[in-house]
Amino acid sequence: MKRFKLLKIIVSIAIFSGLISIEVQAQNHAANPLILDMVHHNPGETPYQSAYNDPAVIKEMGYNGKVYFLFESPALAINWESVDADILPIGSEERKWVDAKAKQIKKMHAESKAQDIAIYAMSDLVLFPKRLIKKYHIEDTFGDPNNPLTEKFIRAQINEMFDQFPDLDGLVVRIGETYLHDAPFHQGAIVNKSSPEKTIIPLMQILREEICVKRDKQLIFRTWNAFDRNMKPYMQVNDAVEPHQNLIISIKQCEGDFHRARPFSKLIGQGRHPQIIEVQSAREYEGKGAYPNYIANGVIEGFEEHSRMPEEAINSIREFVEKRPDLYAGIWTWSRGGGWDGPYIKNEMWCDLNSWVMAQWAKDTKQSEEFIFNRYATERLNLKGDDVAKFRKLCLLSAEAVVRGRNTTYNDISDVWWTRDQGIGWPKPAKDAIGQKRNLEQKDASVAKWKEIVKLAKSIHWDSKDAKNHAIGSAKYGFRLYEIYRSLIYLSDAASKGDNNSVQKWIKIYDKAWRKYNKLPDQYNTVATLYTQAYDRHIATNADRKVNELRKNKY
């Protein structure tokens, strides 16, 4: 009986200690959230010239960590000598490239270290030197983390990354895609990327052991394009991988990519692993900062399209923090970038607004978004009196105008990719008659809101001529671009109904809208580069070519 009582006491203490440990971990994350920023450079292009490349700039904004982009990752800069000196032999072209990359990365890390902010590297997995893959004959197996050689090389890779780059605080791991545009001597692959059993769980367990346990460094594992939409696979991963204070799951705030009208992520606030929320400040499907597009209010307090979610559901980051503070690990913004090509901005005002508000709110989530916004208007833009209220109205209107101009508040346009980056594709009608009626109405409403945005921009007393020029020019950029969008939606509707008179009417409106839009750079010298009619990348049907067919009555 005494042995039983003693065992019971020991078990109770162990359970109680475990609960304390879990509670302390949760408190640590909530009290000291990660506030990270990343500049997502266009793969294969010259990196962005951005203020946010400078760790001193983002620290002053409220960030406590910097995520370096894929092609700034030590995964591309380790020499692999712990495995085999012949993989990247000294003097070879590959070794020279890797050593140069290492020198560049160490300089970047030193800049962050000097500002006392944490250093993270986003890395694609699985990614190895081509010579390693060829020498060990693993061309068909290196993308499988269950393969013994692959596992061995992943562990060696992690060890070399932290040994050769000791300032590294953690890795941000991505398996949903693999980019090799700026990695000429490496090869990447992942098999069964959406399978918890075959890929996600075994890979996460390897990384957890090597990074979190052995190294006491942080692992941020992204759900993107792997287990980011469905609850079942997410919970499979959640249940199979033991929590660790250094293991954090990264989730975009909406389901799928950064599109408005998409559902708020159902995964946020679920499971037992801390979560960091990804937020794109200059959204790739919405101008990349070329025009007013204030998303911080919607992310923090909830977008209007998420208000129809069930009452018990989480539909904003604030609700996530209030309902599951134990899981809140922080915010990760992409101050710049995402997608491909342009528009390329000359002035970072609109992405600065989103990034600054998100960073300041993440530091103290009890603050209201409006309070932080007003601080931005007064502290960073030097606005006074009624101009603060006018600026807020302008920004809130921009969120309303964008969702109505690109889609609808009910997500009636299923092809959310019809316009992206610097191009415009042919928009298909909405899914049903009710949705199409709403689609047309909301395009009119969007243009009306853009008109008001321009009027507000003109009415505000900006603190400099340059600020005034950019505010008005970028507002007109949005107004004229969304006039083009509206003409295409109406053209698509008329063509689908075989109404040639309306088709020809809207072609004239479309042509006029483009003429007005193309004059912007001559009128405002700080506007971003323009959308182009010939752009085809990742767009199914080029809109301008379709319009030219309709000119000849071919539909």
Side-chain angles (χ1 to χ4, degrees):
M1 181 64 74
K2 287 182 179 179
R3 279 187 67 189
F4 176 75
K5 285 183 178 179
L6 180 62
L7 180 62
K8 188 175 180 180
I9 291 169
I10 292 171
V11 170
S12 298
I13 291 171
I15 292 172
F16 185 63
S17 298
L19 290 174
I20 290 176
S21 175
I22 292 169
E23 185 178 345
V24 168
Q25 288 179 25
Q27 287 175 351
N28 285 342
H29 285 298
N32 301 290
L34 293 175
I35 310 173
L36 309 180
D37 185 59
M38 178 181 74
V39 175
H40 186 298
H41 303 290
N42 280 348
E45 293 186 24
T46 302
Y48 284 129
Q49 296 296 312
S50 170
Y52 313 118
N53 289 327
D54 186 348
V57 170
I58 64 171
K59 181 179 181 180
E60 187 272 333
M61 294 172 71
Y63 292 97
N64 56 26
K66 182 171 178 60
V67 178
Y68 286 93
F69 186 50
L70 292 164
F71 303 112
E72 302 161 342
S73 170
L76 297 173
I78 57 175
N79 57 40
W80 287 92
E81 287 187 350
S82 69
V83 174
D84 186 338
D86 290 334
I87 292 172
L88 295 171
I90 295 173
S92 67
E93 186 181 4
E94 295 95 327
R95 180 59 176 264
K96 289 177 183 176
W97 187 91
V98 164
D99 287 346
K101 177 67 71 175
K103 185 177 180 181
Q104 173 199 18
I105 292 172
K106 286 179 180 178
K107 181 176 182 293
M108 290 177 168
H109 287 188
E111 291 169 353
S112 287
K113 192 77 173 177
Q115 295 299 322
D116 193 29
I117 64 172
I119 300 165
Y120 296 84
M122 185 161 76
S123 303
D124 279 335
L125 288 182
V126 177
L127 186 74
F128 295 146
K130 292 177 181 177
R131 289 174 68 129
L132 180 150
I133 293 168
K134 184 176 181 180
K135 179 172 183 177
Y136 288 89
H137 309 291
I138 55 173
E139 292 88 344
D140 299 327
T141 58
F142 82 93
D144 179 6
N146 297 290
N147 179 273
L149 262 183
T150 298
E151 179 180 344
K152 172 187 172 181
F153 293 144
I154 289 173
R155 292 181 186 274
Q157 181 182 48
I158 297 302
N159 286 330
E160 289 213 11
M161 287 171 74
F162 285 99
D163 285 346
Q164 294 175 35
F165 298 86
D167 290 338
L168 194 61
D169 290 285
L171 286 188
V172 179
V173 171
R174 182 179 85 151
I175 65 172
E177 298 173 289
T178 303
Y179 291 168
L180 298 169
H181 303 72
D182 297 297
F185 302 111
H186 291 74
Q187 190 171 340
I190 193 78
V191 297
N192 301 309
K193 66 181 182 182
S194 60
S195 171
E197 304 93 339
K198 295 179 181 178
T199 299
I200 303 168
I201 292 169
L203 179 60
M204 194 180 291
Q205 287 173 332
I206 292 169
L207 298 175
R208 179 187 182 279
E209 181 181 342
E210 292 294 336
I211 298 172
C212 305
V213 178
K214 288 184 181 179
R215 297 269 176 174
D216 194 25
K217 300 285 188 175
Q218 287 188 313
L219 166 64
I220 300 175
F221 201 105
R222 295 186 69 201
T223 60
W224 162 242
N225 219 13
F227 60 120
D228 60 333
R229 301 192 192 198
N230 299 319
M231 189 65 71
K232 183 179 178 182
Y234 184 83
M235 295 309 293
Q236 282 180 269
V237 175
N238 172 81
D239 295 342
V241 179
E242 195 65 24
H244 191 283
Q245 63 180 356
N246 291 330
L247 172 57
I248 297 168
I249 305 294
S250 178
I251 305 177
K252 292 185 178 183
Q253 119 275 337
C254 54
E255 291 193 357
D257 219 337
F258 292 110
H259 294 286
R260 288 291 303 277
R262 286 300 205 199
F264 189 83
S265 175
K266 66 175 72 73
L267 307 181
I268 292 176
Q270 305 302 316
R272 55 182 182 160
H273 294 283
Q275 298 172 338
I276 189 169
I277 309 304
E278 297 180 41
V279 181
Q280 200 175 54
S281 298
R283 292 158 74 104
E284 65 203 79
Y285 309 110
E286 299 166 6
K288 299 183 180 179
Y291 52 75
N293 184 20
Y294 183 52
I295 55 89
N297 169 267
V299 173
I300 295 170
E301 309 291 0
F303 283 112
E304 60 177 301
E305 59 265 31
H306 297 153
S307 63
R308 296 185 297 274
M309 293 176 66
E311 189 173 337
E312 67 276 8
I314 293 173
N315 69 358
S316 69
I317 305 303
R318 181 178 297 285
E319 285 196 8
F320 165 47
V321 174
E322 290 174 349
K323 292 182 178 180
R324 292 300 308 268
D326 55 314
L327 295 188
Y328 171 64
I331 297 292
W332 169 23
T333 63
W334 306 12
S335 55
R336 290 286 306 278
W340 310 87
D341 303 301
Y344 302 96
I345 59 176
K346 300 174 186 175
N347 185 305
E348 295 183 318
M349 173 181 176
W350 299 116
C351 43
D352 190 73
L353 168 64
N354 286 321
S355 299
W356 193 89
V357 171
M358 291 305 311
Q360 290 292 317
W361 180 80
K363 287 167 63 176
D364 178 6
T365 59
K366 292 183 174 60
Q367 304 173 92
S368 74
E369 171 274 330
E370 184 174 6
F371 173 76
I372 301 168
F373 178 95
N374 289 342
R375 279 186 54 216
Y376 182 92
T378 55
E379 294 175 21
R380 287 177 81 83
L381 296 182
N382 299 315
L383 299 181
K384 298 178 178 65
D386 292 343
D387 287 331
V388 174
K390 288 180 181 179
F391 182 61
R392 180 158 181 82
K393 184 176 181 182
L394 183 160
C395 291
L396 295 178
L397 275 171
S398 73
E400 296 174 7
V402 166
V403 69
R404 287 163 175 78
R406 284 199 76 262
N407 200 327
T408 75
T409 52
Y410 283 77
N411 195 32
D412 293 305
I413 300 179
S414 57
D415 181 14
V416 294
W417 311 88
W418 70 275
T419 175
R420 56 167 300 159
D421 303 312
Q422 65 185 52
I424 307 175
W426 182 249
K428 297 175 182 176
K431 299 179 280 267
D432 54 49
I434 294 173
Q436 182 63 357
K437 182 175 183 291
R438 184 164 48 225
N439 188 16
L440 298 171
E441 290 172 349
Q442 291 201 4
K443 299 302 165 288
D444 292 336
S446 175
V447 169
K449 289 175 186 294
W450 279 112
K451 282 183 182 178
E452 190 172 357
I453 288 168
V454 172
K455 189 180 297 184
L456 284 164
K458 289 179 177 179
S459 73
I460 293 171
H461 298 89
W462 302 96
D463 75 335
S464 69
K465 288 183 179 179
D466 288 343
K468 180 179 180 179
N469 178 279
H470 182 69
I472 297 172
S474 61
K476 285 189 174 181
Y477 188 113
F479 172 43
R480 295 179 184 179
L481 177 65
Y482 279 69
E483 283 189 311
I484 295 170
Y485 287 166
R486 176 179 64 169
S487 67
L488 285 170
I489 294 294
Y490 271 94
L491 258 173
S492 172
D493 180 71
S496 70
K497 296 172 180 174
D499 184 350
N500 189 52
N501 289 335
S502 291
V503 164
Q504 300 309 317
K505 167 192 165 184
W506 280 102
I507 285 177
K508 290 177 182 178
I509 296 172
Y510 168 83
D511 290 340
K512 183 180 179 181
W514 268 108
R515 286 194 298 271
K516 288 168 59 183
Y517 175 71
N518 285 329
K519 290 178 181 177
L520 277 168
D522 297 329
Q523 299 166 335
Y524 299 94
N525 60 9
T526 64
V527 295
T529 59
L530 302 181
Y531 282 61
T532 53
Q533 290 171 296
Y535 190 79
D536 288 311
R537 192 172 191 173
H538 303 304
I539 288 175
T541 304
N542 177 279
D544 197 59
R545 278 202 296 273
K546 181 67 175 177
V547 171
N548 288 333
E549 291 176 10
L550 293 172
R551 292 181 200 279
K552 304 169 187 176
N553 199 23
K554 292 182 179 178
Y555 59 92

